[in-house]
């Protein structure tokens, strides 16, 4: 049992507990989580107001401190000092497991680097909860989480290109106001695969929408969706790898030569090569010059 209301000796460090909280239904909470949160002297929380409501429900009166994405650098050092002086600490996120798409991961890494014991207190997790009820393969899966911001188009596409050929089921997180743009970006990068939209997990209005990426996108109305979403996407069939291999063999000079062999004049062939490779006609021209054509 956790019994750290009083500091230990300065030679003995405290323990960092990573405690899961409900993702929707308050009954997601485990007996162990309730006990640990009631026994540690301090809880680091993303949103102290939100966590205070949870603690009140379970009649827990432990002191809270704020630890989130915007203060994690400075506050993280303070929390490490707290642990090094012999006090225990629990870290929680607003919902689910801390350290999954969450600054708790930074705190855990820093604690480990300082030789501080890190103990997981498992419980509900949105990604796995959605996956097991999705109907898609659970044998192998990759957690992608949130994509880079919508404005960072190049980074979003780069990440999607990195995972498009993965054979395992892919798991994404998304906020409601970005759902349509994210589905559109996934469709553009992956093509139309089977997918599942999961929202309000473990709550009264829990919902699973199953179909293809395009069909799911078409069913979304113009009104803002509600609730945080988990998007489960079928893994690659392997076609993407073959397509990428075929595309890698296409060069301006090869395309132009093939088109001219079919009777297309050089100017039109260069224009088609530029279009196919998504480069400028000047780039095609320079490639031909370099190849001596």
């Amino acid at each position: 049992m956790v019994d750290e209301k009083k500091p230990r000796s300065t030679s003995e460090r405290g323990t960092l507990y990573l405690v899961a909280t409900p993702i929707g239904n308050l009954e997601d909470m485990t007996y162990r989580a309730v006990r640990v949160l009631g026994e540690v002297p301090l809880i680091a929380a993303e949103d102290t107001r939100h966590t205070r409501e949870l603690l009140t429900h379970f009649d827990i009166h432990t002191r809270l401190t704020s630890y989130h994405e915007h203060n994690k650098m400075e506050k993280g050092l303070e929390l490490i000092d707290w642990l090094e002086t012999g006090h225990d600490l629990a870290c929680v996120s607003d919902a689910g497991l801390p350290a999954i798409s969450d600054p708790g991961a930074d705190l855990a890494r820093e604690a480990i680097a300082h030789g501080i014991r890190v103990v997981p207190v498992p419980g509900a997790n949105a990604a796995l909860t959605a996956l097991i009820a999705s109907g898609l393969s659970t044998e192998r899966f990759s957690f992608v989480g949130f994509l880079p911001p919508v404005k960072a188009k190049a980074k979003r596409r780069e990440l999607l290109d990195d995972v498009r050929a993965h054979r395992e089921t892919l798991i994404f997180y998304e906020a409601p106001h970005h759902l349509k743009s994210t589905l559109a970006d996934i469709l553009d990068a992956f093509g139309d695969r089977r997918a599942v939209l999961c929202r309000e997990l473990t709550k009264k209005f829990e919902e699973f929408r199953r179909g293809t990426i395009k069909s799911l996108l078409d069913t979304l109305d113009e009104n803002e969706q509600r609730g945080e979403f988990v998007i489960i996407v079928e893994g690659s069939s392997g076609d993407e790898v073959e397509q990428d291999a075929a595309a890698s063999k296409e060069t301006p000079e090869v395309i132009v030569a093939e088109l001219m062999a079919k009777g297309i004049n050089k100017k039109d062939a260069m224009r088609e090569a530029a279009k196919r490779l998504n480069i400028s006609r000047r780039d095609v021209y320079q490639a031909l010059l370099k190849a001596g054509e």
Side-chain angles (χ1 to χ4, degrees):
M1 292 181 64
V2 180
D3 186 15
E4 301 296 331
K5 296 294 183 181
K6 295 181 180 179
R8 303 173 185 173
S9 65
T10 55
S11 62
E12 187 176 1
R13 298 178 176 90
T15 297
L16 172 62
Y17 292 90
L18 301 176
V19 183
T21 55
I23 59 174
N25 193 316
L26 287 173
E27 292 178 0
D28 293 339
M29 197 75 164
T30 68
Y31 290 112
R32 185 184 178 201
V34 171
R35 177 179 62 77
V36 170
L37 293 181
E39 293 177 350
V40 294
L42 183 66
I43 299 171
E46 273 191 284
D47 184 336
T48 55
R49 292 170 298 180
H50 177 84
T51 301
R52 176 54 66 198
E53 292 178 5
L54 175 69
L55 299 185
T56 298
H57 178 83
F58 289 102
D59 196 28
I60 297 170
H61 304 283
T62 304
R63 183 162 64 93
L64 287 168
T65 189
S66 177
Y67 173 73
H68 49 72
E69 187 65 31
H70 304 293
N71 74 351
K72 66 181 183 181
M73 298 301 291
E74 180 180 353
K75 193 56 175 283
L77 295 176
E78 294 179 15
L79 295 177
I80 293 299
D81 286 343
W82 168 270
L83 287 158
E84 287 200 309
T85 56
H87 299 84
D88 283 342
L89 173 71
C91 177
V92 300
S93 68
D94 286 344
L97 290 170
I100 302 294
S101 290
D102 175 85
D106 298 279
L107 185 59
R109 278 192 294 268
E110 195 66 27
I112 291 168
H114 282 75
I116 294 167
R117 184 179 178 221
V118 176
V119 175
V121 181
N125 169 258
L128 295 182
T129 300
L131 176 65
I132 61 174
S134 69
L136 298 181
S137 174
T138 61
E139 292 182 4
R140 294 193 304 165
F141 54 89
S142 286
F143 176 72
V144 183
F146 289 99
L147 292 177
V150 175
K151 293 181 180 179
K153 292 183 179 180
K155 290 184 178 180
R156 281 169 73 88
R157 184 59 191 232
E158 181 180 0
L159 176 56
L160 290 172
D161 285 343
D162 282 344
V163 301
R164 69 189 290 265
H166 287 201
R167 299 295 186 100
E168 61 270 24
T169 303
L170 300 172
I171 306 174
F172 299 85
Y173 282 167
E174 192 49 273
H177 53 289
H178 291 314
L179 181 62
K180 293 190 73 170
S181 60
T182 292
L183 278 179
D185 287 344
I186 294 173
L187 176 62
D188 184 55
F190 294 178
D192 202 15
R193 301 183 188 174
R194 289 192 298 163
V196 184
L197 288 182
C198 318
R199 63 183 289 272
E200 298 290 275
L201 290 171
T202 78
K203 295 181 182 178
K204 181 178 180 180
F205 298 106
E206 177 180 85
E207 180 182 15
F208 292 85
R209 300 186 204 174
R210 300 175 176 87
T212 65
I213 300 171
K214 187 177 187 306
S215 69
L216 293 171
L217 186 58
D218 290 342
T219 62
L220 296 178
D221 56 35
E222 294 303 319
N223 297 323
E224 184 174 302
Q225 302 297 314
R226 294 184 178 180
E228 297 297 313
F229 282 82
V230 180
I231 307 170
I232 311 292
V233 180
E234 183 179 35
S236 168
S237 63
D239 293 342
E240 290 88 349
V241 176
E242 294 177 6
Q243 291 169 4
D244 289 346
S248 67
K249 296 177 182 178
E250 288 194 321
T251 62
E253 53 269 32
V254 169
I255 295 172
V256 170
E258 289 179 350
L259 293 175
M260 290 181 67
K262 295 178 181 179
I264 298 174
N265 66 60
K266 189 172 184 178
K267 184 177 180 180
D268 288 341
M270 290 173 63
R271 182 182 294 108
E272 177 60 27
K275 180 179 178 181
R276 191 181 299 182
L277 297 173
N278 194 29
I279 60 178
S280 70
R281 276 182 285 176
R282 179 178 177 81
D283 289 336
V284 174
Y285 177 70
Q286 292 294 332
L288 294 178
L289 283 179
K290 188 175 181 179
E293 297 183 11

